[in-house]
mmCIF file of all heavy atoms in Angstrom:
data_model
loop_
_atom_site.group_PDB
_atom_site.id
_atom_site.type_symbol
_atom_site.label_atom_id
_atom_site.label_comp_id
_atom_site.label_asym_id
_atom_site.label_seq_id
_atom_site.Cartn_x
_atom_site.Cartn_y
_atom_site.Cartn_z
ATOM 1 N N ASN A 94 28.984 -7.516 64.855
ATOM 2 C CA ASN A 94 29.695 -8.624 65.489
ATOM 3 C C ASN A 94 28.887 -9.135 66.688
ATOM 4 O O ASN A 94 28.777 -8.444 67.696
ATOM 5 C CB ASN A 94 31.076 -8.136 65.953
ATOM 6 C CG ASN A 94 31.943 -9.257 66.489
ATOM 7 O OD1 ASN A 94 31.438 -10.318 66.857
ATOM 8 N ND2 ASN A 94 33.236 -9.016 66.538
ATOM 9 N N PRO A 95 28.320 -10.334 66.595
ATOM 10 C CA PRO A 95 27.452 -10.816 67.671
ATOM 11 C C PRO A 95 28.234 -11.202 68.929
ATOM 12 O O PRO A 95 27.645 -11.422 69.981
ATOM 13 C CB PRO A 95 26.781 -12.050 67.060
ATOM 14 C CG PRO A 95 27.732 -12.526 66.016
ATOM 15 C CD PRO A 95 28.467 -11.330 65.508
ATOM 16 N N HIS A 96 29.566 -11.270 68.812
ATOM 17 C CA HIS A 96 30.393 -11.711 69.953
ATOM 18 C C HIS A 96 30.987 -10.547 70.731
ATOM 19 O O HIS A 96 31.735 -10.766 71.665
ATOM 20 C CB HIS A 96 31.527 -12.611 69.460
ATOM 21 C CG HIS A 96 31.048 -13.740 68.611
ATOM 22 N ND1 HIS A 96 30.342 -14.789 69.124
ATOM 23 C CD2 HIS A 96 31.144 -13.951 67.274
ATOM 24 C CE1 HIS A 96 30.025 -15.625 68.150
ATOM 25 N NE2 HIS A 96 30.502 -15.131 67.015
ATOM 26 N N ALA A 97 30.682 -9.322 70.308
ATOM 27 C CA ALA A 97 31.297 -8.166 70.966
ATOM 28 C C ALA A 97 30.238 -7.144 71.382
ATOM 29 O O ALA A 97 29.229 -6.980 70.705
ATOM 30 C CB ALA A 97 32.289 -7.508 70.008
ATOM 31 N N THR A 98 30.478 -6.484 72.529
ATOM 32 C CA THR A 98 29.607 -5.352 72.893
ATOM 33 C C THR A 98 30.476 -4.204 73.387
ATOM 34 O O THR A 98 31.626 -4.401 73.783
ATOM 35 C CB THR A 98 28.619 -5.685 74.042
ATOM 36 O OG1 THR A 98 29.346 -6.278 75.105
ATOM 37 C CG2 THR A 98 27.519 -6.604 73.578
ATOM 38 N N ILE A 99 29.893 -3.018 73.368
ATOM 39 C CA ILE A 99 30.613 -1.826 73.832
ATOM 40 C C ILE A 99 29.944 -1.238 75.065
ATOM 41 O O ILE A 99 28.728 -1.155 75.131
ATOM 42 C CB ILE A 99 30.609 -0.693 72.773
ATOM 43 C CG1 ILE A 99 31.160 -1.161 71.426
ATOM 44 C CG2 ILE A 99 31.413 0.498 73.262
ATOM 45 C CD1 ILE A 99 31.365 -0.006 70.452
ATOM 46 N N VAL A 100 30.769 -0.812 76.021
ATOM 47 C CA VAL A 100 30.293 0.050 77.096
ATOM 48 C C VAL A 100 30.812 1.445 76.780
ATOM 49 O O VAL A 100 32.014 1.624 76.572
ATOM 50 C CB VAL A 100 30.824 -0.404 78.471
ATOM 51 C CG1 VAL A 100 30.435 0.594 79.547
ATOM 52 C CG2 VAL A 100 30.297 -1.790 78.818
ATOM 53 N N PHE A 101 29.915 2.409 76.708
ATOM 54 C CA PHE A 101 30.317 3.767 76.347
ATOM 55 C C PHE A 101 30.629 4.599 77.588
ATOM 56 O O PHE A 101 30.342 4.190 78.714
ATOM 57 C CB PHE A 101 29.213 4.455 75.554
ATOM 58 C CG PHE A 101 28.953 3.800 74.230
ATOM 59 C CD1 PHE A 101 27.913 2.902 74.070
ATOM 60 C CD2 PHE A 101 29.773 4.063 73.150
ATOM 61 C CE1 PHE A 101 27.676 2.289 72.844
ATOM 62 C CE2 PHE A 101 29.551 3.456 71.927
ATOM 63 C CZ PHE A 101 28.494 2.566 71.775
ATOM 64 N N GLN A 102 31.185 5.774 77.329
ATOM 65 C CA GLN A 102 31.551 6.707 78.394
ATOM 66 C C GLN A 102 30.361 7.001 79.310
ATOM 67 O O GLN A 102 30.446 6.962 80.519
ATOM 68 C CB GLN A 102 32.038 7.991 77.739
ATOM 69 C CG GLN A 102 32.570 8.993 78.707
ATOM 70 C CD GLN A 102 33.140 10.187 77.963
ATOM 71 O OE1 GLN A 102 33.074 10.293 76.756
ATOM 72 N NE2 GLN A 102 33.705 11.093 78.713
ATOM 73 N N THR A 103 29.243 7.330 78.716
ATOM 74 C CA THR A 103 28.029 7.479 79.508
ATOM 75 C C THR A 103 27.007 6.558 78.887
ATOM 76 O O THR A 103 26.777 6.596 77.683
ATOM 77 C CB THR A 103 27.490 8.917 79.491
ATOM 78 O OG1 THR A 103 27.473 9.369 78.151
ATOM 79 C CG2 THR A 103 28.335 9.820 80.333
ATOM 80 N N PHE A 104 26.452 5.727 79.720
ATOM 81 C CA PHE A 104 25.562 4.726 79.186
ATOM 82 C C PHE A 104 24.167 5.294 79.025
ATOM 83 O O PHE A 104 23.647 5.936 79.910
ATOM 84 C CB PHE A 104 25.545 3.505 80.093
ATOM 85 C CG PHE A 104 25.580 2.261 79.290
ATOM 86 C CD1 PHE A 104 26.796 1.732 78.869
ATOM 87 C CD2 PHE A 104 24.412 1.660 78.890
ATOM 88 C CE1 PHE A 104 26.843 0.595 78.106
ATOM 89 C CE2 PHE A 104 24.450 0.526 78.105
ATOM 90 C CZ PHE A 104 25.660 -0.012 77.706
ATOM 91 N N ALA A 105 23.593 5.074 77.874
ATOM 92 C CA ALA A 105 22.235 5.538 77.624
ATOM 93 C C ALA A 105 21.245 4.566 78.254
ATOM 94 O O ALA A 105 20.870 3.582 77.655
ATOM 95 C CB ALA A 105 21.992 5.640 76.120
ATOM 96 N N LEU A 106 20.873 4.867 79.497
ATOM 97 C CA LEU A 106 19.871 4.013 80.159
ATOM 98 C C LEU A 106 18.495 4.583 79.852
ATOM 99 O O LEU A 106 18.342 5.779 79.676
ATOM 100 C CB LEU A 106 20.107 4.014 81.669
ATOM 101 C CG LEU A 106 21.452 3.472 82.146
ATOM 102 C CD1 LEU A 106 21.539 3.607 83.665
ATOM 103 C CD2 LEU A 106 21.640 2.029 81.728
ATOM 104 N N TYR A 107 17.510 3.705 79.813
ATOM 105 C CA TYR A 107 16.146 4.183 79.616
ATOM 106 C C TYR A 107 15.631 4.701 80.949
ATOM 107 O O TYR A 107 15.518 3.938 81.911
ATOM 108 C CB TYR A 107 15.249 3.050 79.114
ATOM 109 C CG TYR A 107 15.701 2.499 77.793
ATOM 110 C CD1 TYR A 107 16.372 1.291 77.725
ATOM 111 C CD2 TYR A 107 15.456 3.204 76.608
ATOM 112 C CE1 TYR A 107 16.799 0.781 76.498
ATOM 113 C CE2 TYR A 107 15.880 2.706 75.388
ATOM 114 C CZ TYR A 107 16.552 1.495 75.344
ATOM 115 O OH TYR A 107 16.974 0.997 74.136
ATOM 116 N N PRO A 108 15.313 6.010 81.029
ATOM 117 C CA PRO A 108 14.948 6.593 82.327
ATOM 118 C C PRO A 108 13.647 6.029 82.888
ATOM 119 O O PRO A 108 13.436 6.033 84.087
ATOM 120 C CB PRO A 108 14.814 8.095 82.033
ATOM 121 C CG PRO A 108 14.731 8.227 80.558
ATOM 122 C CD PRO A 108 15.356 7.008 79.955
ATOM 123 N N TRP A 109 12.788 5.540 82.009
ATOM 124 C CA TRP A 109 11.486 5.050 82.484
ATOM 125 C C TRP A 109 11.526 3.566 82.851
ATOM 126 O O TRP A 109 10.537 3.000 83.264
ATOM 127 C CB TRP A 109 10.401 5.301 81.425
ATOM 128 C CG TRP A 109 10.680 4.606 80.129
ATOM 129 C CD1 TRP A 109 10.328 3.339 79.783
ATOM 130 C CD2 TRP A 109 11.379 5.145 79.011
ATOM 131 N NE1 TRP A 109 10.784 3.060 78.527
ATOM 132 C CE2 TRP A 109 11.423 4.163 78.022
ATOM 133 C CE3 TRP A 109 11.990 6.391 78.750
ATOM 134 C CZ2 TRP A 109 12.051 4.351 76.794
ATOM 135 C CZ3 TRP A 109 12.606 6.580 77.531
ATOM 136 C CH2 TRP A 109 12.628 5.578 76.576
ATOM 137 N N LEU A 110 12.688 2.937 82.702
ATOM 138 C CA LEU A 110 12.810 1.531 83.068
ATOM 139 C C LEU A 110 13.629 1.380 84.350
ATOM 140 O O LEU A 110 14.540 2.162 84.601
ATOM 141 C CB LEU A 110 13.496 0.735 81.955
ATOM 142 C CG LEU A 110 12.755 0.596 80.614
ATOM 143 C CD1 LEU A 110 13.592 -0.242 79.646
ATOM 144 C CD2 LEU A 110 11.377 -0.014 80.797
ATOM 145 N N THR A 111 13.309 0.363 85.134
ATOM 146 C CA THR A 111 14.072 0.081 86.349
ATOM 147 C C THR A 111 15.451 -0.456 85.959
ATOM 148 O O THR A 111 15.694 -0.778 84.793
ATOM 149 C CB THR A 111 13.391 -1.004 87.204
ATOM 150 O OG1 THR A 111 13.345 -2.213 86.438
ATOM 151 C CG2 THR A 111 11.994 -0.583 87.613
ATOM 152 N N VAL A 112 16.313 -0.565 86.951
ATOM 153 C CA VAL A 112 17.639 -1.133 86.742
ATOM 154 C C VAL A 112 17.530 -2.503 86.080
ATOM 155 O O VAL A 112 18.169 -2.790 85.071
ATOM 156 C CB VAL A 112 18.389 -1.236 88.084
ATOM 157 C CG1 VAL A 112 19.616 -2.138 87.965
ATOM 158 C CG2 VAL A 112 18.797 0.157 88.563
#
Side-chain angles (χ1 to χ4, degrees):
N94 186 340
H96 308 290
T98 50
I99 305 189
V100 174
F101 295 98
Q102 185 175 4
T103 47
F104 222 86
L106 299 177
Y107 299 103
W109 60 88
L110 294 181
T111 62
V112 166

